[in-house]
Amino acid sequence: MNLGQILLEFFQSTGIAAITWGQALMLLVSCILLYLAIAKGFEPLLLIPIAFGMLLANLPEAGLMAPPVVQIAPDPITGELVSTTIENGGLLYYLYQGVKLGIYPPLIFLGVGAMTDFGPLIANPKSILLGAAAQFGIFATFIGATLLGFTGPEAASIGIIGGADGPTALFLTSKLAPHLLGPIAVAAYSYMALVPIIQPPIMKALTTKTEREVVMGQLRTVSKKEKVIFPIMVTLLVSLLLPSAASLVGMLMLGNLFRESLVVDRLSKTAQNEMVNIVTIFLGTTVGATANAETFLTVRTLSIIALGLIAFSIGTATGVVFGKIMYKISGGKINPLIGSAGVSAVPMAARVSQKVGQEANPRNFLLMHAMGPNVAGVIGSAIAAGLLLNLFGG
Amino acid sequence: MGEYINFGDSIVITIFSMVVVFVGLILLAMLISVLKTIGGKADKDGVAKEAVASDKVEKTVAKENISEVEKDTVDDEELVAVIAAAVAASLGVSIPEVNIKSIKRVPQRNLAWSTASRQEQIYGKL
């Protein structure tokens, strides 16, 4: 064996020799996303794991997302079929099972529940309706996606992007259309980050200045008893109505009960911090890793990203329009701007309502009022996801 | 349900689903209203009791304070040092250059939620 041959064989074993154009392009995309996350501060907590997962999955020959290779052959002595593992599979493949089996999204919801104060919702139950109205974006896009030639389960997974709730979108997609996880995750999390850019023009176009200036009365104080009963009540109601939404809503409300019961402070803190951070690392990295060149670089990905934007915009618009109806019915007491917060994306969407409201009237504090529809939106999109799972999952 | 669905089916699914979402959340809103009558009432008694209890605590604390004047001064000195350091840092000068003549506590008159909103606004402009 001469030196030339050794060098040639070494070169052939490297990733450089095996890289495809698609993989090179995906590596470039992941580097751009990393730049946006680190230098521009675009949702770095999610974008860094997602982009790096994308980078790892597109490294040629590294096999981080490779499934295990198992050989099933008859045993020479007994004649029974015996399975032998030939290759163990990659690290990310195993972490990805938490997404595939629908484990991570409910765990994230446990943390979200422990972080969320449902007080504004309990204080003003009417605002729940705004959280329901904003779910129309999901179904409008669902119709659009079926017209574009997506199958029922695929269209349902694309529509749920309009729920603006990352974990719910991943949960439903992992059950209905796992092959679309990459593009749907990227679309859902990008639009959640872009809420402050997408929503204000729609909100301003649909409301008059007088409507935006409405100052809402102060919310009543909610008792501890109400806050403790609320999560138990929601779990019972939603799970009895829609058993398929039980894992999402149940974990959300368990987290909230940790928070509001005030007797398990340690569990509440763990759910809010360490647990949710650990799961975010696993979820982000493995969701990014589903975006490999073969499945990601297609025309369908582009149409999913476009449909996601439409879903989000329609959800915002129907929320605001419903807000206008409530403004009329209440005799001008409800500011329609809180309607846009119905598209989950807690608490960003509520902040946008606050910001737009304050631009119209500097004395306007809509934040707490918008938190009502905002958290109702989380419950609403979980119900919608449960429904779609019911219709297409079986 | 079949893999591909036609336009009519998707409309039916949409209407059905939106009705379920609305019904579910309206039921929730109604239950919350019921909750208000149960929880709200019980809480008023609770609040009243708590108020009495906290009154007692305040009185005890006040008594303790009288006997612990010395300790209080130490705390105040620390507070003055912290305020002096903060002022010096924000003015960009060293601490000996700052001459504090008096520090007065401004009573907190604002409601908690309006304070929260104001902070939100300040953070938004940072």
Side-chain angles (χ1 to χ4, degrees):
Chain A
M1 194 182 276
N2 61 28
L3 184 67
Q5 208 179 345
I6 293 172
L7 280 175
L8 185 71
E9 276 177 19
F10 172 73
F11 177 73
Q12 279 166 350
S13 75
T14 61
I16 303 162
I19 198 164
T20 63
W21 278 110
Q23 284 168 331
L25 190 61
M26 290 303 287
L27 290 177
L28 185 70
V29 170
S30 59
C31 289
I32 294 171
L33 291 178
L34 282 174
Y35 169 77
L36 289 176
I38 298 165
K40 301 281 171 188
F42 282 4
E43 293 276 310
L45 286 172
L46 274 166
L47 205 51
I48 289 182
I50 290 181
F52 211 83
M54 206 182 257
L55 184 136
L56 292 174
N58 286 292
L59 292 172
E61 306 290 326
L64 279 164
M65 266 302 257
V69 180
V70 179
Q71 191 182 40
I72 301 171
D75 190 285
I77 304 160
T78 58
E80 279 177 26
L81 286 175
V82 182
S83 66
T84 351
T85 309
I86 297 173
E87 274 172 47
N88 272 332
L91 167 71
L92 294 182
Y93 170 81
Y94 289 102
L95 292 180
Y96 175 66
Q97 298 311 307
V99 179
K100 199 178 170 190
L101 302 171
I103 296 169
Y104 297 152
L107 287 182
I108 296 265
F109 258 41
L110 181 72
V112 172
M115 285 184 238
T116 309
D117 176 12
F118 284 97
L121 179 77
I122 304 171
N124 186 11
K126 279 187 226 99
S127 65
I128 290 184
L129 294 177
L130 294 167
Q135 308 311 319
F136 191 72
I138 295 177
F139 296 101
T141 313
F142 164 74
I143 298 174
T146 53
L147 288 177
L148 281 177
F150 285 97
T151 65
E154 285 173 347
S157 308
I158 296 168
I160 203 78
I161 300 174
D165 202 325
T168 309
L170 292 181
F171 182 75
L172 189 70
T173 311
S174 67
K175 304 257 175 189
L176 295 183
H179 56 287
L180 296 182
L181 260 175
I184 287 180
V186 170
Y189 283 109
S190 319
Y191 294 137
M192 279 167 69
L194 293 175
V195 164
I197 297 164
I198 300 170
Q199 285 197 322
I202 302 170
M203 292 157 77
K204 284 178 192 160
L206 289 172
T207 49
T208 62
K209 191 152 193 298
T210 338
E211 285 168 345
R212 288 199 294 273
E213 281 173 351
V214 173
V215 176
M216 292 177 70
Q218 202 187 333
L219 290 169
R220 74 175 175 91
T221 334
V222 176
S223 69
K224 187 199 160 191
K225 205 173 195 175
E226 284 173 276
K227 283 188 172 178
V228 171
I229 299 173
F230 178 78
I232 305 167
M233 195 180 78
V234 174
T235 311
L236 286 174
L237 174 77
V238 177
S239 312
L240 289 175
L241 194 70
L242 263 174
S244 46
S247 57
L248 281 180
V249 175
M251 292 309 266
L252 180 74
M253 291 302 152
L254 175 63
N256 191 246
L257 189 60
F258 283 166
R259 173 200 176 95
E260 301 298 353
S261 65
L262 305 178
V263 288
V264 284
D265 206 30
R266 284 165 45 184
L267 301 189
S268 170
K269 277 187 182 147
T270 304
Q272 287 181 42
N273 301 297
E274 292 82 358
M275 194 211 64
V276 96
N277 290 343
I278 292 169
V279 181
T280 304
I281 295 173
F282 291 169
L283 182 106
T285 320
T286 53
V287 158
T290 57
N292 59 34
E294 298 93 76
T295 55
F296 199 83
L297 293 175
T298 56
V299 183
R300 279 157 74 90
T301 301
L302 287 179
S303 57
I304 288 170
I305 288 173
L307 281 165
L309 180 62
I310 295 169
F312 207 86
S313 311
I314 295 178
T316 306
T318 47
V320 175
V321 169
F322 208 80
K324 279 171 82 92
I325 297 172
M326 288 181 73
Y327 165 82
K328 289 264 156 56
I329 295 173
S330 67
K333 280 184 189 154
I334 289 175
N335 190 319
L337 288 179
I338 65 168
S340 63
V343 291
S344 316
V346 184
M348 197 100 78
R351 282 193 193 152
V352 172
S353 298
Q354 156 80 10
K355 198 167 159 261
V356 178
Q358 210 153 48
E359 274 171 21
N361 179 359
R363 291 168 53 84
N364 217 347
F365 291 107
L366 292 176
L367 187 70
M368 289 321 274
H369 297 282
M371 278 313 278
N374 208 186
V375 293
V378 177
I379 302 174
S381 50
I383 294 179
L387 260 173
L388 291 169
L389 193 58
N390 236 359
L391 290 167
F392 295 107
Chain B
M1 189 143 316
E3 277 284 281
Y4 287 93
I5 48 172
N6 61 36
F7 183 64
D9 282 349
S10 59
I11 295 280
V12 172
I13 290 172
T14 298
I15 294 169
F16 168 74
S17 305
M18 281 314 286
V19 168
V20 174
V21 170
F22 264 98
V23 168
L25 290 179
I26 288 171
L27 275 176
L28 190 61
M30 283 159 68
L31 281 175
I32 291 173
S33 309
V34 175
L35 197 65
K36 186 182 161 188
T37 55
I38 308 167
K41 216 187 221 174
D43 202 55
K44 268 180 197 163
D45 300 344
V47 169
K49 275 179 201 163
E50 266 175 32
V52 174
S54 64
D55 233 29
K56 279 182 190 165
V57 171
E58 265 170 33
K59 277 176 193 163
T60 357
V61 169
K63 276 180 198 165
E64 276 173 9
N65 274 355
I66 296 165
S67 60
E68 289 178 20
V69 179
E70 212 172 306
K71 195 182 169 193
D72 264 16
T73 338
V74 178
D75 282 349
D76 278 355
E77 274 175 11
E78 275 181 15
L79 194 63
V80 171
V82 169
I83 293 170
V87 170
S90 77
L91 293 176
V93 294
S94 64
I95 296 175
E97 287 174 57
V98 183
N99 188 9
I100 294 177
K101 287 185 176 167
S102 79
I103 295 170
K104 277 181 197 156
R105 186 179 290 276
V106 182
Q108 183 83 16
R109 283 200 194 122
N110 296 315
L111 295 158
W113 80 267
S114 59
T115 313
S117 313
R118 194 166 306 122
Q119 279 173 347
E120 186 69 32
Q121 198 190 356
I122 292 166
Y123 291 141
K125 299 225 164 114
L126 283 179

